[in-house]
Amino acid sequence: MGPIVLATSLHRALETGESGPVLRRHFTADAVTFERPNLIKPHGARSSLDEMIANSEKGAGLLASQKYDVHSALVSGSTAILRLTWTGVLRNGKQLVAHIAQFVDTRDGLISAIETFDCYEPF
């Protein structure tokens, strides 16, 4: 699978409610995520695969649903570069919206790193 297909496959899995260990199938064992500073994480964050899996379970507990709308996608070598909008609906009905630039590195048919720039609309 190409980088864009791998990235959007992960997005679709998250939209259908996948979380926890089942998500490992999308990633290399040494995968990492870099979240650049944003309203939710003002100092940004670096997460290992184990931390990503744990965070996905926390997120599933907070979200009633989430949707990724990809507006454009390009490939540079083994990296997918996506411009997208994420909409999350909290269990209390409130909605969060983030406009995102995401760089998804791939290796051997799996995601090896994600760097994301999340610009949240005011809460």
Side-chain angles (χ1 to χ4, degrees):
M1 282 192 270
I4 293 172
V5 172
L6 292 169
T8 57
S9 176
L10 173 62
H11 295 151
R12 299 295 89 81
L14 293 167
E15 288 176 342
T16 63
E18 282 188 26
S19 65
V22 69
L23 290 176
R24 287 184 184 275
R25 67 186 171 92
H26 297 277
F27 297 98
T28 60
D30 61 345
V32 293
T33 294
F34 300 96
E35 293 177 75
R36 296 306 173 196
N38 59 64
L39 284 176
I40 293 178
K41 294 190 177 174
H43 300 287
R46 179 191 185 281
S47 301
S48 67
L49 179 57
D50 288 339
E51 291 166 325
M52 284 189 273
I53 297 305
N55 290 339
S56 75
E57 291 175 322
K58 289 177 190 171
L62 296 172
L63 294 171
S65 66
Q66 60 182 321
K67 176 84 173 122
Y68 292 84
D69 292 311
V70 177
H71 306 296
S72 61
L74 301 168
V75 173
S76 177
S78 59
T79 301
I81 304 163
L82 304 131
R83 186 175 59 86
L84 55 106
T85 301
W86 172 83
T87 304
V89 179
L90 299 172
R91 298 216 178 264
N92 67 8
K94 292 187 179 181
Q95 182 173 285
L96 300 175
V97 177
H99 305 281
I100 300 171
Q102 193 171 73
F103 299 80
V104 180
D105 296 327
T106 63
R107 185 176 71 238
D108 301 327
L110 296 169
I111 296 169
S112 59
I114 299 172
E115 182 174 12
T116 186
F117 297 81
D118 304 341
C119 299
Y120 286 90
E121 292 185 359
F123 303 150

